[in-house]
Amino acid sequence: MTRTPEDRAAFSVLDRPNSYIGKTVPRPNLDRLMQGRGLYVSDIELPRMAHVVFLRSPHAHAKITGIDAAAAKRMPGIIAVVTGQEIAAVITPWVGVLSHLKGLKSAPQSAIAVDRVCWQGEAVAAIIATSRAAAEDAAEHISVAYEELDAVTDMQTALDPTTSVIHPALGDNLAFERNHDAGTVDAVLAASDEVVEAEFIFGRHTGVTLEPRSVVADWNAAEARLTIYQGTQAPHMVQNIAALHLGLQESQVRVVCKDVGGSFGIKVHIYADEMATYALSKLLRRPVKFVADRVESFNTDIHARDHRCKGKIGVKCDGTITAFEIDDLTGIGPYSMYPRTSAIEANQVVNLVGGPYVTKNYRARARVVFQNKNVMCQYRAVGHPIACSVTEGLVDLAAMKIGMDPVEIRRRNLIADDAYPCASPSGLRFEQLSHHAALAKLIKMMDYDALRAEQAMLRARNIHCGIGIASFIEVTNPSAAFYGVGGAKISSQDGVAVRLDAQGAVVCQTSITEQGQGSESLTAQIVGSVLGVSMDRVRVILGDTDNTPYGGGTWASRGAGIGGEAALQATKELRKNILDVAAAILQSSPGDLDIVSNSVVNVSDGAPRIELSELARIVYFRPDTLPPGIQAELMATRHFVPREYPFAFTNGVQASWLEVDTDTGFVKLLKHWVVEDCGTIINPQLVDEQIRGGVVQGLGAALFEKCIYDERGQLTNANLADYLVPMSGEMPDIDVGHVVSPTLESELGAKGAGEAGTAGAAAAVTNAVNDALRPFGTIITEIPLTPQIILTALGRI
Amino acid sequence: MKASAFAYARATSVVNALELLAVYGDKAKVLSGGQSLMPAMNLRLISPEFIVDIGELAELRGIVVKGDVLTVRALTRHVDVLRSPEIATHAPLLKDATSHVAHPAIRNRGTLGGSLAHADPASELPACMVALGATVIVCGPRGERRIPAQEFFTGIYETALSPQELLVAVELPVARKDSTHFFHEFARRHGDYAIVGLAAQSTIVGGQFTDLRLGFFAVGDRPLLAGAAGKLVNVAVTPEVLAKASAILGEELDPQGDQQATPAMRRHLAKVLLQRCVSRLLCRPDLQSGEPAR
């Protein structure tokens, strides 16, 4: 059932007096961050701490024939210069494959390159010094002899027999291929009134985090224990992998994740230089700090997208979409990333194309090839922007071909809101989506008909504006189906422990993490609401493998839906325990009591009976006064993982209104709308911020962001002057609306909202640009939509 | 991203700065606002041995009008140019252009003299100097030199300044009462270096240009005072006249290609700018094919 946000009657646990659920409340961590009292990894200073700088390969592909570091080692402040061969003594290599991605192959990757570099930016030596500046000085005095090898850079020729194979042991440059065929594609295409084809090109880009990747690794030889301070999304995953490759037990590794300056999927992977930093600490028996600078961030933070996808759609004159067919190709760099692999994005493209629509006829091929470029992996909305741009681009082309309005063709083909549960053509199961309700709300918010009239009026004045619509689905709340079933030690469950302390305040430990998106806030809101205490009494502890339950962390839009449910269940248990004790103290029965505003009250008349602080005093200091046989448990722990559905799909629709200056090729974004359905909304402002931030990253992909490589595999714009991140000056107002279809898999009903904005923004913009350019008879299916591309398409240059 | 080690001196006077430059010559770099120098040093694109910091020299600050001459001293920060009533009155083109220089944080530190001495061909202010007919005043061991702006800029990051000299001020003719100006640049994002830009100053009498100076930037290795302007002065500008000027402009330009634009695109955009400039200055929408209304 789809409901409006106001209607929360079904959720008694959440709909309590003074509930914080569904309310915009300030984040508890805001004052700390605004007053500059955050603690980021680069703020951490430990006694005897050294700094590591990595000397990185200038070549995309080369043999290392010699490293001479003698001069560098003599320079002031230098503690050590460590090569790949030397560090291999303390850390083993890894291979980024998962068993459920059949056929996926990759080669062993080392913390520091041993005898060969495979991309420009791969580390060839570590310089450890008393300061970063001293290490950078010494780096200039290390001479590395290289013998250049052929670089595989063009994904389109990577599989040609004449192209050299990057890892000869693998036989070819094909990392992964997936084929899918459902329904009767050939037959229905043959019977269609129109078949439209296009090739969609997506620039390689990256997620630019304000805080770069940073690690302080501290090996305490006396304790035989490694403490890793790292801005990561998945502390337990880092713990597992660091232990595995350093030859330690997990209990010998503690991962502490304090404040993080943005992640977006960039910080959910295992990077070679971070592994090297852990190993260096063990090798040198002292704390070592690595903070990536901006240039090395561009050269080593995972890149994403970089797809070429041929698409085909069949349509009948009445607008019925008969089939989708795609052939996707992507290049992932020289190694499949560890441990989540670099096949997931292409796999997601196959999963998601055609997802919002009724047709069951769908054929797809995806191929993932190796290249001598930086590694590629999961970045916010993995695969979604590709799948959405291809699907929605094809739908618009079909509509154009049969002369139908883009909204109307969607109305006729989106899965009906009462058709659930059902499955997508790729076999994904949907519990409850709301495409039509969302589209109807979007049309109203943007006043579609009035905008069309304005467009026509402006066109008469030679001003070319366009409207673009993009429906989408989004994977959230992943179960073990994502990684666990493939053998990765990445937990899909999360745990929360809550306890009442001796003064009646609440301490909550959760395994989800805070990257700035508001995990701390939403956890406190749930705990406060379910327990009946004010939020200022709730302290949330996260990001510490020694001090939180075991869990997955932050990725795939899972924190609120999975960690939030664990918090709800743990708090329900604590509440029950408190009421049991209260009933014993008050000679009442638990069912007659409730907790409201930090006090135990009567259910019948709401009269306060005992303050939680008084109850806690009795439990902790005068348990002798409790009736015999009563043992209070003022701490409760619960875990949660979705079991019924592999993923809780969400849906939504975006629209873009923009102007194309056909003389200059410049696009001006005028307005953007999003309607999305993430189920129960815990904090409207946090959700809207997630949507808007996600949209902005999608708009970056649409218009600005691209890692530009030359044919020799050199990244030519690895700085913030040449790599264009979207900035506020170019961003339009973004209006966000909601439809609420809670998942029934949890009592909370929340699904994820972190990636919806990124999923559909570029598709909406591309469709709007093509809508604006309709009078010129040109179609552009390549992003970023630069002035150069638009002017070229218009034949102006 | 740490600069390599360097020696540093804070100059106590222009004379002192010149003494330091005389000793260290091309091994030294002058630190003014530091908005180009510091990033270049931190990226180790340059590693000067010696930094002469002129930031404290009050004698290099200030904007003065005397008769028909507006003097802007070298350490005047971009933010001060933007806020100056003298600039708004006597060199409004410079004010318009400065609002396109990067972002507020950079404009709070960056200086006019620094921008001119740096001579990035894609930056706004050198083109303004050329369009306004400015004189660049430099001091050196042999005293003062007065260099016309057009002779000052000699190539990419190259000027007529010798390593022993310091840029101390620019002099601009006070704008005539009947003069008008146009400034626009095409940049991917606000504050980015321009793909192509135009700073223009004109005098119009009876619907015709009696004077027109077109300072294009990011179209070559230095700002270009376009000779095409000559075709538009003292004539009734028709679409044909404009097309002819545009063709001449195309021949004058020698644009480089980069990640933002090919030479052909730069040439095209320069012509679009010319058309928009002339149309705007003459209040003649008919001279323009399709300007956005927003």
Side-chain angles (χ1 to χ4, degrees), chain A residues 136 659 663 703 716 725 730, chain B residues 1 188-190 259 268 292:
Chain A
E136 286 189 19
E659 177 184 332
D663 285 334
L703 298 180
T716 59
V725 294
E730 282 62 52
Chain B
M1 281 203 192
R188 293 289 299 282
R189 303 171 303 179
H190 187 89
Q259 291 177 343
H268 168 79

Side-chain angles (χ1 to χ4, degrees), chain B residues 72-245:
Chain B
V72 187
R73 298 207 180 99
L75 270 185
T76 305
R77 299 192 195 279
H78 303 313
V79 64
D80 299 326
V81 169
L82 279 175
R83 288 176 185 166
S84 158
E86 289 86 1
I87 300 277
T89 307
H90 301 299
L93 172 64
L94 187 56
K95 181 181 175 177
D96 271 17
T98 302
S99 72
H100 287 80
V101 175
H103 307 281
I106 291 172
R107 295 198 293 264
N108 285 341
R109 297 291 306 169
T111 65
L112 176 71
S115 173
L116 299 181
H118 185 53
D120 188 313
S123 63
E124 295 82 0
L125 305 181
C128 290
M129 295 302 124
V130 168
L132 292 170
T135 303
V136 181
I137 301 173
V138 305
C139 282
R142 284 188 290 274
E144 186 182 286
R145 285 203 295 150
R146 301 170 59 82
I147 309 168
Q150 258 194 278
E151 294 166 24
F152 182 76
F153 302 102
T154 57
I156 299 175
Y157 307 127
E158 284 177 12
T159 67
L161 266 177
S162 80
Q164 284 80 28
E165 287 176 318
L166 189 64
L167 193 162
V168 295
V170 292
E171 286 180 4
L172 305 167
V174 164
R176 290 172 44 162
K177 289 270 176 289
D178 54 354
S179 71
T180 56
H181 71 277
F182 172 93
F183 184 91
H184 194 72
E185 66 179 32
F186 296 124
R188 293 289 299 282
R189 303 171 303 179
H190 187 89
D192 282 351
Y193 279 112
I195 297 174
V196 174
L198 171 58
Q201 184 78 9
S202 68
T203 310
I204 297 164
V205 178
Q208 290 188 9
F209 291 115
T210 56
D211 184 32
L212 177 63
R213 293 173 68 87
L214 301 172
F216 282 92
F217 54 102
V219 293
D221 68 352
R222 68 195 84 175
L224 172 85
L225 188 66
K231 294 287 162 197
L232 299 163
V233 174
N234 296 323
V235 292
V237 177
T238 61
E240 294 70 33
V241 169
L242 185 53
K244 191 155 183 205

Side-chain angles (χ1 to χ4, degrees), chain A residues 67-90:
Chain A
I67 299 177
D68 181 358
K73 284 178 181 172
R74 288 194 299 270
M75 291 186 64
I78 300 304
I79 294 162
V81 177
V82 178
T83 64
Q85 212 126 40
E86 289 160 348
I87 211 167
V90 271

Side-chain angles (χ1 to χ4, degrees), chain A residues 656-658 667-672 691-705 724-735 761 765, chain B residues 188-190:
Chain A
S656 169
W657 168 239
L658 52 75
V667 173
K668 182 168 185 177
L669 302 171
L670 301 171
K671 184 99 187 190
H672 202 94
I691 300 296
R692 290 198 182 93
V695 165
V696 166
Q697 284 185 310
L699 296 176
L703 298 180
F704 300 109
E705 296 185 65
L724 308 179
V725 294
M727 291 176 68
S728 56
E730 282 62 52
M731 292 300 105
D733 283 346
I734 302 166
D735 279 1
V765 166
Chain B
R188 293 289 299 282
R189 303 171 303 179
H190 187 89

Side-chain angles (χ1 to χ4, degrees), chain A residues 75 132-141, chain B residues 2-5 44:
Chain A
M75 291 186 64
R132 169 118 196 163
E136 286 189 19
D137 284 345
E140 293 182 348
H141 292 88
Chain B
K2 307 287 179 196
S4 52
R44 299 198 177 205

